[in-house]
Amino acid sequence: MTSFMSPALPEHVAIIMDGNGRWANARNMPRAYGHRQGMETLHTVVRTAGDVGIKYLTLFAFSSENWRRPETEIIDLFGLLKTFVRRDLAELHARDVRVRVIGDRANLKSDILNLLIEAEQKTRNNGGMTLVIAFNYGARDEITRAVAALVRDIRSGDVADDGVTEEAISARLDTAGIPDPDLIIRTSGEERLSNFLLWQSAYSELMFVPEYWPDFGKDNFLAALAQYSSRNRRFGGLNPPVSVAGS
């Protein structure tokens, strides 16, 4: 158990795990090697997050845009997912981690879909950290599906005609019941969200770090948490409040 403690520990951290391929290319290795090394970083960060008391950790594992990558790379990524479920799920379960998967499950092949369901079902009663895996996920697609669901509920009479609210949309997102991320980290030096948690990130603290994902170790993660704890989150207001004479 690490000794890291913070009075402002984020409840929910989300990470865009970027740079595996470039990390491998810099070493004249195939991209698949970078993805495999990235899995080792994933193990380290998940363990560290649980140790320090993070309640929710969301990892951008496979975006809906990743289907544009070469088929060989997609096959390798799916192979890593299978390895994760077969090898690492037992450890997560033993550590009381609950796994939740977000993203569009329509048209996923049955073997992949069954793996995702297995991970959720095996850990559904765990009470420790919730590990959210964003797989075949895109934020615009998520919002579109949520709005379509709300429209169906209005047409069916389950929701009033004036029931289009932020709360109603949030309740139909893949992340329903999960608090919005306090901190979003992106590795590799890129400074964009790339269609990740666009609705949920309205007031998230954003942190873009130069390290490629395979180089983002325990110390880097703890440093990000420490930097987060020094930030002043105002959520559109004034903090501390300004005293106005006569008010």
Side-chain angles (χ1 to χ4, degrees):
M1 177 75 69
T2 179
S3 61
F4 177 84
M5 295 292 291
S6 170
L9 188 72
E11 180 181 25
H12 183 180
V13 177
I15 304 179
I16 302 173
M17 306 178 292
D18 194 23
N20 290 338
R22 280 168 285 166
W23 181 89
N25 290 338
R27 290 159 176 78
N28 296 315
M29 298 294 289
R31 291 175 62 86
Y33 178 69
H35 292 310
R36 288 193 291 272
Q37 291 301 120
M39 282 292 292
E40 297 307 314
T41 297
L42 186 153
H43 300 154
T44 298
V45 169
V46 169
R47 293 189 191 107
T48 304
D51 287 345
V52 302
I54 300 297
K55 294 182 179 179
Y56 296 88
L57 177 66
T58 297
L59 302 175
F60 203 2
F62 189 86
S63 78
S64 52
E65 288 79 22
N66 285 158
W67 293 106
R68 303 170 188 168
R69 295 189 176 189
E71 184 177 1
T72 54
E73 183 170 351
I74 292 174
I75 291 173
D76 188 71
L77 288 169
F78 283 6
L80 290 175
L81 173 64
K82 293 177 181 179
T83 298
F84 164 78
V85 174
R86 298 303 180 205
R87 186 189 73 180
D88 302 320
L89 187 59
E91 178 186 343
L92 292 173
H93 187 43
R95 293 172 65 90
D96 203 30
V97 173
R98 180 188 177 194
V99 176
R100 181 162 166 183
V101 181
I102 62 173
D104 188 4
R105 302 189 185 191
N107 302 319
L108 285 180
K109 291 184 178 180
S110 59
D111 59 336
I112 296 298
L113 180 59
N114 289 337
L115 284 172
L116 300 177
I117 293 173
E118 178 184 348
E120 289 186 314
Q121 290 297 315
K122 185 178 180 66
T123 63
R124 67 185 183 277
N125 295 321
N126 290 346
M129 184 180 71
T130 296
L131 175 62
V132 184
I133 300 174
F135 186 85
N136 195 29
Y137 174 86
R140 288 183 175 180
D141 171 73
E142 176 193 27
I143 295 169
T144 300
R145 288 187 284 108
V147 171
L150 181 55
V151 169
R152 289 194 298 269
D153 289 341
I154 292 174
R155 288 176 175 173
S156 69
D158 293 335
V159 175
D161 290 342
D162 60 353
V164 180
T165 64
E166 289 187 15
E167 293 75 16
I169 294 174
S170 293
R172 289 160 176 80
L173 294 173
D174 295 346
T175 55
I178 299 173
D180 291 343
D182 302 292
L183 171 64
I184 297 179
I185 302 169
R186 180 169 186 156
T187 59
S188 86
E190 301 290 349
E191 298 185 0
R192 57 182 178 273
L193 290 178
S194 295
N195 203 20
F196 181 55
L197 299 179
L198 298 181
W199 178 279
Q200 299 88 340
S201 63
Y203 285 102
S204 300
E205 294 295 316
L206 305 180
M207 199 171 297
F208 303 105
V209 299
E211 293 84 7
Y212 292 137
W213 177 245
D215 289 329
F216 188 80
K218 177 180 178 179
D219 290 343
N220 302 96
F221 184 63
L222 294 179
L225 297 182
Q227 183 179 340
Y228 167 86
S229 70
S230 69
R231 294 189 179 185
N232 185 14
R233 304 184 73 197
R234 294 183 295 275
F235 300 97
L238 295 176
N239 187 17
V242 176
S243 176
V244 180
S247 63

